[in-house]
C-alpha cells in the first residue's frame, strides 16, 4: 500500500510505531516546587535561540536565510552581538549543517563574514563547526511503500556529536533537504520536528530549522507561511519570518536609495510563546570581497549580514524647525496629499533644507512623526471650490522658550516666513 494513500489514523499509527518512547504512560502528581527555585530559561541569543527548543527561520528564496544563519553562528562562536542580539551566556559552540552548498562555498560564506566583521580564529577558538550535506549527507526520516520511518540512528549520531563537542546551537539549512517525506504530511513533519525538539532537550542545545515559504503572491511572510505542513511552525517555540523591505516601509523610514532598500531584510518574532515579542530587527546584506582573484580571474564577492539601525528621520531637526513649519501652516493653506501642488511637504523641505524630489520619502516620514506627536494635525477643510479636502493644520504649539536657532548655512533654511509663501 502506498503511503500517500493511507488514512490519517493509519499514518499516525505508523509514526507512533516508528518513534517508541520506551516508557509506560502514567500520571505524575505535581510536586509543587518553590517558584524561586525554578531554573531560568536558557536563552543563548536574544529571544531567538533557546536551549532545548526549536527555532524556525521562514523566508522565500533570495532573502538571505543562509547568510543570516552564518551571522548567527559566528555571533555565537565569537561572543559578539553581530546582529544586535545579546548573548546572555557568552560565547557558545555553533554547528552550521548546510545541506545545499558545497564545502568550498560554505568556506566563502564564513570567510566573507569573518572579514567583514573583523573576526579571526582567536575570537572563536574551536567553537565553530561547518559541514556540507553534499559531503556528509543528513537524512533524518524517510517515506516509501513501507511507510514512514524516523532515522533514529542518524539522530543518535547528531546527538553524540553535539554532546562530544559541547555544541549549543545546530543550524539545519534547509529543513526540506534533511528528510525525504512529503512536506504536506502534517503527521510526518510533526514527528520529525518533535524528534528534533527531543534531541534539543536531551542534549541541551538549541536547534534552528531553516525553511522555505509557500507561494505568497507578493504579500509579506508571516509565521504561518512555511511551505507544506503547518506542523513545523506548531512544534517550534520561536518562528522568525524574514521579509525584504517594502516600498511602503522605505518611505516610512526615509530610505530613498533603491539599492539600499533591496539590501534590507526585516526579522520578526512571528511566534515566541516563551518570551515577549521582540521589536523587528533590520538586517543589511552587504557585499564582501574575498580578495582571492588575480590578473586572470576576478575576486569573489559574497553576501554578509550585519545589523542595520533604523535612521532617525528627525535627525538635525529641533523645536525651531517645528515652530517655523507651524507658523507657515497657520498662515497658509497646505494640503495633506503629497500629489497636490500645495502639499505641506514643500514647507518642510524649505524649512529643513531638503529637496521635495530627492527627499520625498524622508519628508513624508517627518510629517508622520510630527502628526504622531501632535505638532501637526489633519482636518477636512473647504478648498477654493468649496470642496472639503484633508489639510494640515497646527496641532499643539511648540514652547517658544525651548527654541534653539540653527546655523542657517547648515540647515539650509532661511526665514521660513520669507522662504515659503502661501500657495494661494
Amino acid at each position: 500500500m502506498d503511503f500517500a494513500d493511507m488514512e490519517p489514523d493509519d499514518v499516525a499509527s505508523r509514526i507512533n510505531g516508528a518513534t517508541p518512547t520506551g516508557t509506560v504512560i502514567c500520571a505524575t502528581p505535581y510536586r509543587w516546587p518553590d517558584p524561586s527555585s525554578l531554573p531560568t530559561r536558557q536563552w543563548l541569543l536574544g529571544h531567538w535561540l533557546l536551549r532545548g527548543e526549536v527555532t524556525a527561520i521562514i523566508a522565500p528564496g533570495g532573502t538571505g536565510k543562509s547568510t543570516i544563519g552564518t551571522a548567527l553562528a559566528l555571533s555565537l562562536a565569537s561572543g559578539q552581538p553581530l546582529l544586535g542580539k545579546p548573548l546572555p551566556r557568552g560565547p557558545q559552540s555553533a554547528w552550521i549543517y548546510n545541506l545545499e552548498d558545497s564545502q568550498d562555498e560554505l568556506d566563502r560564506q564564513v570567510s566573507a563574514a569573518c572579514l567583514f566583521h573583523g573576526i579571526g580564529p582567536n575570537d572563536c577558538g574551536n567553537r565553530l563547526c561547518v559541514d556540507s550535506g553534499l559531503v556528509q549527507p543528513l537524512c533524518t526520516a524517510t517515506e516509501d511503500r513501507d511507510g514512514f520511518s524516523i532515522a533514529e540512528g542518524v539522530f543518535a549520531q547528531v546527538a553524540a556529536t553535539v554532546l562530544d563537542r559541547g555544541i549549543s546551537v545546530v543550524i539545519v539549512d534547509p529543513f526540506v533537504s534533511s528528510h525525504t517525506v512529503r512536506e504536506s504530511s502534517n503527521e510526518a513533519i510533526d514527528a520529525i520536528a518533535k524528534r528534533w525538539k527531543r534531541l534539543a532537550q536531551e542534549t541541551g542545545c538549541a536547534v534552528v530549522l531553516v525553511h522555505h515559504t509557500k507561494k505568497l503572491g507578493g504579500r509579506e511572510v508571516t509565521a504561518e507561511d512555511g511551505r507544506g505542513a503547518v506542523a513545523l511552525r506548531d512544534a517550534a517555540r520561536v518562528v522568525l519570518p524574514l521579509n525584504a523591505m517594502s516600498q511602503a516601509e522605505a518611505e516610512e523610514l526615509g530610505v530613498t536609495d533603491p539599492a539600499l532598500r533591496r539590501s534590507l531584510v526585516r526579522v520578526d518574532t512571528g511566534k515566541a510563546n516563551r518570551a515577549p515579542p521582540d521589536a523587528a530587527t533590520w538586517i543589511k546584506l552587504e557585499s564582501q570581497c574575498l580578495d582571492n582573484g588575480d590578473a586572470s580571474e576576478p575576486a569573489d564577492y559574497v553576501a554578509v549580514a550585519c545589523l542595520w539601525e533604523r535612521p532617525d528621520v528627525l535627525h538635525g531637526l529641533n523645536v525651531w524647525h517645528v515652530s517655523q513649519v507651524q507658523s507657515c501652516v497657520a498662515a497658509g493653506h497646505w494640503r495633506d496629499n503629497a500629489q497636490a501642488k500645495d502639499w505641506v511637504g514643500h514647507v518642510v523641505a524649505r524649512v529643513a533644507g531638503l529637496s521635495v524630489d530627492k527627499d520625498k520619502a524622508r519628508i513624508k516620514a517627518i510629517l508622520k512623526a510630527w502628526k504622531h506627536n501632535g505638532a501637526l494635525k489633519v482636518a477636512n477643510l473647504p478648498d477654493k471650490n468649496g470642496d472639503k479636502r484633508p489639510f494640515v493644520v497646527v496641532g499643539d504649539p511648540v514652547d517658544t522658550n525651548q527654541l534653539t536657532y540653527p546655523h542657517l548655512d547648515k540647515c539650509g533654511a532661511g526665514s521660513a516666513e520669507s522662504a515659503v509663501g502661501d500657495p494661494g
Side-chain angles (χ1 to χ4, degrees):
M1 182 178 185
D2 190 353
F3 185 67
D5 297 328
M6 294 170 64
E7 294 296 326
D9 289 344
D10 218 5
V11 174
S13 66
R14 289 284 188 101
I15 291 172
N16 289 334
T19 56
T21 62
T23 60
V24 176
I25 296 175
C26 61
T28 303
Y30 189 60
R31 58 189 178 88
W32 297 101
D34 177 2
S36 64
S37 70
L38 295 175
T40 59
R41 295 188 182 111
Q42 300 291 294
W43 292 103
L44 300 175
L45 188 142
H47 282 154
W48 285 2
L49 305 181
L50 177 61
R51 284 193 189 278
E53 294 290 357
V54 172
T55 292
I57 296 177
I58 297 178
T63 315
K65 298 185 296 296
S66 298
T67 302
I68 292 173
T70 298
L72 287 176
L74 196 58
S75 180
L76 288 157
S78 66
Q80 301 180 31
L82 305 182
L83 300 183
K85 296 299 175 183
L87 295 103
R89 286 166 177 80
Q92 303 289 326
S93 293
W95 183 11
I96 299 173
Y97 207 153
N98 187 298
L99 307 180
E100 288 186 331
D101 295 324
S102 67
Q103 192 65 45
D104 283 346
E105 185 57 35
L106 294 176
D107 289 342
R108 294 185 190 98
Q109 293 173 19
V110 175
S111 296
C114 288
L115 283 172
F116 183 87
H117 292 290
I119 293 174
N122 292 337
D123 298 303
C124 297
N126 61 354
R127 290 186 294 271
L128 183 63
C129 299
V130 182
D131 284 288
S132 167
L134 303 184
V135 177
Q136 184 173 258
L138 176 70
C139 184
T140 61
T142 58
E143 172 187 347
D144 54 27
R145 291 181 178 276
D146 296 325
F148 169 87
S149 177
I150 291 280
E152 287 295 337
V154 172
F155 276 106
Q157 292 182 57
V158 173
T161 300
V162 169
L163 292 171
D164 180 58
R165 299 199 63 90
I167 292 171
S168 295
V169 176
V170 180
I171 301 174
V172 179
D173 180 13
F175 174 64
V176 66
S177 296
S178 69
H179 61 80
T180 60
V181 309
R182 288 172 298 126
E183 284 189 294
S184 59
S185 171
N186 264 310
E187 295 83 3
I189 298 301
D190 179 66
I192 299 170
K194 287 181 177 175
R195 184 60 184 86
W196 274 113
K197 182 170 181 174
R198 181 152 65 89
L199 180 143
Q201 292 177 342
E202 291 172 350
T203 62
C205 76
V207 173
V208 180
L209 302 178
V210 181
H211 192 41
H212 297 292
T213 61
K214 58 189 176 184
K215 294 181 179 179
L216 300 174
R219 65 178 177 81
E220 72 171 25
V221 182
T222 69
E224 288 72 33
D225 291 322
R227 194 169 69 188
V230 299
L232 174 60
R233 176 206 70 195
D234 294 341
R237 286 303 174 212
V238 178
V239 179
L240 304 176
L242 309 185
N243 282 284
M245 178 177 281
S246 67
Q247 182 60 45
E249 288 172 325
E251 292 183 1
E252 180 179 347
L253 297 175
V255 176
T256 58
D257 183 358
L260 173 59
R261 178 177 70 83
R262 289 192 294 269
S263 72
L264 296 174
V265 177
R266 190 184 79 241
V267 185
D268 295 316
T269 305
K271 174 185 176 184
N273 53 3
R274 295 202 175 178
D278 288 344
T281 299
W282 285 101
I283 303 298
K284 188 172 189 288
L285 302 179
E286 295 274 12
S287 181
Q288 174 65 47
C289 179
L290 292 179
D291 293 325
N292 58 345
D294 53 31
S296 62
E297 196 168 19
D300 291 320
Y301 283 81
V302 181
V304 298
C306 63
L307 181 67
W308 182 74
E309 298 284 357
R310 294 175 53 152
D312 179 8
V313 296
L314 299 180
H315 176 71
L317 304 179
N318 57 32
V319 178
W320 180 87
H321 296 91
V322 181
S323 174
Q324 295 301 301
V325 171
Q326 286 186 335
S327 296
C328 293
V329 167
H333 296 82
W334 297 96
R335 294 275 300 279
D336 188 47
N337 187 348
Q339 303 302 318
K341 293 182 179 179
D342 50 351
W343 178 44
V344 71
H346 291 280
V347 176
V348 175
R350 294 298 295 271
V351 171
L354 300 174
S355 166
V356 172
D357 295 327
K358 297 180 180 179
D359 303 312
K360 195 169 189 176
R362 187 186 175 193
I363 293 170
K364 287 182 176 180
I366 291 170
L367 286 166
K368 182 176 180 179
W370 284 346
K371 291 173 189 174
H372 180 74
N373 65 26
L376 298 175
K377 295 181 180 179
V378 177
N380 287 322
L381 301 174
D383 61 12
K384 294 179 180 179
N385 299 321
D387 298 323
K388 285 195 172 184
R389 300 184 185 280
F391 282 82
V392 175
V393 298
V394 176
D396 301 324
V398 300
D399 183 356
T400 55
N401 293 324
Q402 298 180 9
L403 291 182
T404 57
Y405 297 90
H407 296 290
L408 299 183
D409 59 335
K410 292 184 179 180
C411 74
S415 168
E417 288 89 342
S418 60
V420 184
D422 186 345

